[in-house]
Amino acid sequence: MPGYDEVFDKAIADLHGEGRYREFAQLRRVKGCFPKATYFGDDQPREVTVWCSNDYLAMGQHPVVLNAMHEALDVTGAGAGGTRNISGTSWYHIQLERELADLHGKGAALLFNSGYMANQATLSTLARLMPECTILSDELNHASMIEGIRHGRSNKAVWRHNDLDDLETKLATLIHDQPKVIALESVYSMDGDIAPLAEICALARKYNAMTYLDEVHAVGMYGPRGGGIAEREGLLDEIDIIEGTLAKAYGVMGGYIAASPRIVDAIRSYAPGFIFTTSVAPVLAAGARAAVRHLKTSNEERRLQQKHAGLLRQKLIDRGLPVIVSPSHIVPVHVGCPVRCKALTDELMREFSIYVQPINYPTVPRGTERIRLTPGPLHGPAEIAVLVDAVDELWSRLELQRAA
């Protein structure tokens, strides 16, 4: 048997050999200058343009958010001081949860430290509370959903991605009165496609299933108040549990669920991932609440983001680049090789000061490696032109395949 060091050395060497070893880009975002950031990977720090941030609407830089956080810091200090059950529930937490419940038209909401934790804790607890339950999971659901289902140890059925016929076939094999949960995402972040939500809700009604909807890439982005795809499609009343994040369109940190008071109370009372975790710092809750409130009434950020996403997508297509076309705000470009994908992003940073992270396995299946571009309201036509020229030039230099 090899020594301990050899085990870890081999594991890392395997990643290097497959071309999918991941490195952190050390960045310092510059307040008021997003999407610019200072990059510390060279001998001398330099300015770069960030093109892969999940701060989709630049709310992490918005004055209304920063002012709310400064005020909360001055009023209450830094940390929460404990778990939610033991001194860690502040006025800020309660106000944020009320804001989120209102956003989704639900009776209650529950705040977690991350979207991953919200999914893992909620789905595993649902399964334990309903031991005869079958959870029907879209095959492209996020790792946090898969982990939650696995940890709950309930029956599981995986249905082909966005395939209504396959979902119905699996639902039809289950006893009508047996507990069942359809778990899916609204916007799938790697391809940018959107689930056929109305049809899935209809199947849930027909087969007596609960619905669990991950809206992390949609909250803040879609709907007249930023309530996600369910709000945009007028389906809020059809979804039993909505899970979202405060770390993407809202630009801060944290995750949550919104549901009926009965469901929220059960998750709050039984989920170990909630019970035994120190609560989100009040300053973060204050900033997130300010972002949610702002985007309930302001559509300018969403309008500019969609405009810039459409402009970037078309300009890349015009150059013959293999864009994975989607109806969402995400603009993926297929590369298909982990080594070349990393070479592309390395050269974008080195030569053009453009930061894009390569997306490789296990985030996406092998052979579908890509760059994933997330234009925001502050990526204007000038930044888009620079990016398109740089990608086009490197695509030819690296002899990457263009669209047919």
Side-chain angles (χ1 to χ4, degrees):
M1 178 178 176
Y4 294 117
D5 288 347
E6 285 82 354
V7 171
F8 304 123
D9 288 344
K10 181 181 183 305
I12 297 302
D14 287 346
L15 292 178
H16 279 290
E18 295 176 28
R20 58 186 187 92
Y21 179 76
R22 303 186 184 201
E23 298 176 354
F24 292 140
Q26 187 181 162
L27 303 170
R28 184 175 65 198
R29 300 209 300 175
V30 182
K31 186 179 76 170
C33 295
F34 189 79
K36 302 298 182 183
T38 304
Y39 173 63
F40 291 90
D42 303 323
D43 292 336
Q44 294 294 324
R46 58 190 170 101
E47 181 181 88
V48 300
T49 303
V50 179
W51 272 100
C52 57
S53 175
N54 282 340
D55 187 359
Y56 294 137
L57 300 180
M59 290 303 296
Q61 302 280 307
H62 200 286
V64 72
V65 175
L66 302 184
N67 291 339
M69 295 180 75
H70 279 295
E71 180 182 353
L73 184 64
D74 290 339
V75 169
T76 196
T83 66
R84 289 291 297 273
N85 288 314
I86 305 176
S87 82
T89 295
S90 73
W91 178 89
Y92 296 96
H93 296 96
I94 299 302
Q95 295 304 311
L96 174 56
E97 287 172 342
R98 289 175 178 170
E99 204 72 55
L100 292 167
D102 171 77
L103 175 67
H104 295 294
K106 301 299 182 187
L110 189 66
L111 181 63
F112 292 83
N113 289 45
S114 70
Y116 191 106
M117 186 180 294
N119 270 335
Q120 197 276 340
T122 303
L123 284 166
S124 62
T125 302
L126 283 175
R128 287 195 298 271
L129 292 175
M130 299 185 292
E132 301 302 317
C133 176
T134 295
I135 298 182
L136 298 103
S137 176
D138 185 289
E139 67 178 339
L140 293 189
N141 278 342
H142 190 272
S144 58
M145 300 176 75
I146 295 169
E147 282 297 304
I149 295 166
R150 181 181 296 133
H151 279 247
R153 299 180 180 179
S154 67
N155 298 319
K156 177 183 70 173
V158 178
W159 47 288
R160 289 192 296 271
H161 177 55
N162 281 348
D163 188 324
L164 296 170
D165 291 337
D166 190 45
L167 174 59
E168 182 162 20
T169 297
K170 289 178 167 57
L171 284 166
T173 66
L174 303 175
I175 298 170
H176 187 77
D177 292 335
Q178 173 191 354
K180 54 190 79 71
V181 179
I182 301 172
L184 70 151
E185 300 181 39
S186 57
V187 177
Y188 288 84
S189 64
M190 290 301 116
D191 289 339
D193 56 332
I194 296 176
L197 200 52
E199 293 83 353
I200 291 170
C201 288
L203 289 175
R205 290 195 303 272
K206 180 178 179 180
Y207 291 97
N208 189 35
M210 291 181 65
T211 45
Y212 183 100
L213 180 64
D214 177 315
E215 290 250 49
V216 297
H217 293 280
V219 290
M221 303 296 295
Y222 301 95
R225 300 198 310 157
I229 299 298
E231 185 197 21
R232 188 187 75 175
E233 303 299 321
L235 295 168
L236 289 175
D237 291 341
E238 300 282 337
I239 307 296
D240 294 292
I241 303 173
I242 293 175
E243 183 267 345
T245 184
L246 303 164
K248 293 182 171 62
Y250 294 122
V252 189
M253 179 182 174
Y256 65 90
I257 60 168
S260 70
R262 179 181 291 108
I263 292 173
V264 168
D265 198 23
I267 302 301
R268 178 188 72 84
S269 300
Y270 280 92
F274 176 81
I275 295 169
F276 297 108
T277 300
T278 297
S279 60
V280 167
V283 65
L284 296 175
R289 178 177 180 246
V292 173
R293 286 172 66 90
H294 176 80
L295 289 174
K296 282 181 178 179
T297 59
S298 174
N299 280 296
E300 182 64 8
E301 292 83 3
R302 287 186 281 271
R303 184 189 70 80
L304 284 173
Q305 193 284 324
Q306 289 290 338
K307 175 184 176 182
H308 296 159
L311 178 63
L312 173 62
R313 185 180 294 115
Q314 190 56 54
K315 285 187 174 296
L316 291 169
I317 291 172
D318 291 344
R319 301 288 183 98
L321 296 167
V323 175
I324 302 171
V325 178
S326 80
S328 77
H329 57 283
I330 296 164
V331 183
V333 187
H334 180 264
V335 177
C337 168
V339 174
R340 288 186 168 190
C341 194
K342 188 173 188 309
L344 172 65
T345 57
D346 284 350
E347 286 304 299
L348 282 171
M349 179 67 94
R350 186 188 67 81
E351 188 171 340
F352 297 98
S353 294
I354 291 172
Y355 172 52
V356 178
Q357 186 68 20
I359 306 296
N360 296 328
Y361 178 84
T363 306
V364 295
R366 288 185 173 91
T368 68
E369 293 82 5
R370 67 200 63 182
I371 57 173
R372 175 182 177 273
L373 305 172
T374 54
L378 303 181
H379 291 94
E383 288 83 6
I384 290 172
V386 170
L387 172 67
V388 171
D389 285 344
V391 172
D392 187 31
E393 178 179 333
L394 291 174
W395 215 268
S396 295
R397 189 187 305 170
L398 296 170
E399 300 182 338
L400 298 174
Q401 185 172 352
R402 292 183 181 262

